[in-house]
Amino acid sequence: MLKDDLTNLGYMFSGCDRVSKFEFNNFNTSNVTNIERMFQNCSLVSSFDLSMLDTSKVTNMTSLFQGCRNCETFKLDGLFTTSDVTTMYGMFADCDKLNSSDLTTLDTSKVTSMAYMFQNCNTLTSLDLSTFNTSAVTDMSYMFQSCSALTDVNLSSFDTRKVKTTVSMFNHCVNMESINLSSFDTSSLTNMESMFSGCSKLTSIEIPDSVESIGQYAFYNCTSVESLSIGN
């Protein structure tokens, strides 16, 4: 039983690469605000059920599951809530077997950083983030970097009015053939350097006309691009 006043569980199980299962019963986390890297590199875990983990006061989920390469199922409902979370930086980075259907319960309404969130999810082929509320997000840099199997990502509902940087957002997504960002509001965007760099199969890109500066290497090694549309 944890003390009622405990607030920080950061790195608690990080590097426990021989643990294959976690069970949370009578685990009082009601006052915890930080679970940064709590399960980082728990590479033998194939399924996380965190429905009994009270995260109602948690604000920091940085790299929470980073390196959980064999996890196929994330049960992130019940007492596990993300309504107060402000950073999901690197939350699922290096989670090779992530299924996007497990993400529909996440409340992202207060999240400001999604940088590196899905970086190096190497076997992820599609990602539906249509349930994500991104109205508070300012940083989407490296969000999908090196998702080398990704061919389809639904960002149609993304609110990007506050986003300042998308540096390397899709860098080295080598199997992505088309990206439609025409609905993106780039009024706050200051840096999109290397945003599509290394997307060697990308044939078409649609970018809104609100873009004022694209930056260096934005389309570097996009060797298959046939159509590039910026605004009207």
Side-chain angles (χ1 to χ4, degrees):
M1 180 74 73
L2 293 180
K3 292 182 178 180
D4 289 345
D5 60 351
L6 192 63
T7 61
N8 192 347
L9 299 183
Y11 294 84
M12 188 172 191
F13 304 108
S14 180
C16 293
D17 56 3
R18 295 189 179 185
V19 176
S20 59
K21 186 177 182 180
F22 288 96
E23 292 184 8
F24 296 102
N25 295 306
N26 299 317
F27 196 54
N28 185 1
T29 58
S30 59
N31 286 311
V32 172
T33 59
N34 181 20
I35 56 174
E36 175 183 3
R37 302 180 194 272
M38 187 174 179
F39 304 106
Q40 184 184 42
N41 293 327
C42 292
S43 54
L44 283 185
V45 178
S46 60
S47 177
F48 276 104
D49 182 350
L50 302 185
S51 58
M52 296 299 292
L53 195 70
D54 186 347
T55 59
S56 57
K57 293 184 179 179
V58 171
T59 60
N60 187 354
M61 290 189 177
T62 295
S63 298
L64 179 59
F65 304 108
Q66 183 180 7
C68 295
R69 296 186 180 278
N70 285 300
C71 189
E72 297 180 2
T73 307
F74 294 85
K75 193 175 190 309
L76 306 176
D77 56 10
L79 293 178
F80 187 93
T81 62
T82 58
S83 56
D84 276 346
V85 175
T86 58
T87 177
M88 292 184 173
Y89 179 108
M91 187 172 176
F92 298 100
D94 304 307
C95 291
D96 289 342
K97 298 182 179 180
L98 177 68
N99 185 332
S100 63
S101 64
D102 293 333
L103 308 179
T104 57
T105 58
L106 295 181
D107 182 343
T108 59
S109 58
K110 292 184 180 179
V111 174
T112 60
S113 178
M114 291 185 175
Y116 296 90
M117 190 172 181
F118 302 104
Q119 185 193 44
N120 289 328
C121 291
N122 292 322
T123 60
L124 192 64
T125 57
S126 64
L127 199 54
D128 184 354
L129 303 180
S130 58
T131 59
F132 271 30
N133 181 344
T134 59
S135 58
V137 176
T138 60
D139 189 354
M140 290 184 176
S141 58
Y142 300 90
M143 189 172 179
F144 307 103
Q145 186 195 34
S146 295
C147 290
S148 53
L150 191 64
T151 60
D152 181 43
V153 57
N154 185 350
L155 307 179
S156 59
S157 65
F158 268 31
D159 182 342
T160 57
R161 284 174 293 178
K162 293 183 179 179
V163 175
K164 295 180 179 179
T165 175
T166 56
V167 170
S168 294
M169 185 175 180
F170 300 100
N171 182 286
H172 207 63
C173 289
V174 294
N175 278 295
M176 185 79 73
E177 295 185 1
S178 65
I179 299 176
N180 186 345
L181 304 180
S182 59
S183 63
F184 269 35
D185 182 335
T186 59
S187 55
S188 297
L189 190 62
T190 58
N191 194 345
M192 53 187 294
E193 185 173 323
S194 300
M195 186 172 177
F196 307 101
S197 179
C199 295
S200 54
K201 287 190 178 180
L202 196 61
T203 59
S204 65
I205 306 170
E206 291 189 46
I207 297 175
D209 55 9
S210 55
V211 170
E212 294 184 1
S213 176
I214 292 178
Q216 298 185 86
Y217 303 103
F219 307 107
Y220 183 72
N221 276 339
C222 292
T223 53
S224 300
V225 169
E226 299 174 354
S227 172
L228 175 59
S229 174
I230 300 179
N232 298 317

